[in-house]
Amino acid sequence: MISADAITSRTFTTVRFKEGYSTREVDDFLDEIVDRMATGDHSLARRIKEKTFSNVRFREGYDIDEVDDFLDEVARGLEGDASASTGASTASAAAAIPDPHETVAPEPGTSYTSDANLAAPSSDSDAAQLPW
């Protein structure tokens, strides 16, 4: 994950004679990202990907490719954090679901012999006749 300090201290090459992004808009958006990171906004990565800035020319602006690359990096970091926290909760939920292939010993005093389909084979020849 990228830190709030790395976002606020990031500098971009300024351009004047080719199109660039409005410096004010980019700086304001970076501040917004930092503020939303503090709240744990899970839609932030999507918002970063959808963000557009005004293009400027013959005025100072930020290099478009640098800003886009940096914002892509921030969005990937946020998506990784979101999936890691979601993955942890998914993993704990999955742990609560029993594995159908896992052998589980019956609780003491429980008998399964009343159901012929669940009864354990009494000899090796019976085991050979079972479909599984």
Side-chain angles (χ1 to χ4, degrees), residues 35-110:
D35 292 343
R36 287 180 181 235
M37 283 174 62
T39 66
D41 183 349
H42 295 294
S43 67
L44 189 53
R46 180 181 46 78
R47 176 146 166 65
I48 291 170
K49 289 179 179 181
E50 294 172 353
K51 180 64 177 169
T52 60
F53 301 103
S54 300
N55 290 350
V56 296
R57 185 175 233 166
F58 302 115
R59 288 187 316 166
E60 190 171 272
Y62 288 138
D63 182 270
I64 291 173
D65 291 333
E66 282 185 28
V67 173
D68 288 345
D69 290 345
F70 180 70
L71 291 177
D72 287 344
E73 178 185 335
V74 172
R76 279 192 307 273
L78 292 171
E79 286 172 335
D81 291 344
S83 66
S85 64
T86 303
S89 63
T90 303
S92 63
I97 300 171
D99 181 356
H101 304 292
E102 181 179 339
T103 304
V104 179
E107 293 184 28
T110 304

Side-chain angles (χ1 to χ4, degrees), residues 7-59:
I7 293 171
T8 56
S9 65
R10 178 70 160 121
T11 59
F12 301 102
T13 303
T14 55
V15 295
R16 186 177 299 260
F17 296 107
K18 71 175 191 174
E19 280 191 275
Y21 285 145
S22 164
T23 57
R24 188 184 97 274
E25 287 180 24
V26 171
D27 291 340
D28 289 348
F29 187 63
L30 293 178
D31 291 340
E32 180 183 338
I33 291 171
V34 171
D35 292 343
R36 287 180 181 235
M37 283 174 62
T39 66
D41 183 349
H42 295 294
S43 67
L44 189 53
R46 180 181 46 78
R47 176 146 166 65
I48 291 170
K49 289 179 179 181
E50 294 172 353
K51 180 64 177 169
T52 60
F53 301 103
S54 300
N55 290 350
V56 296
R57 185 175 233 166
F58 302 115
R59 288 187 316 166

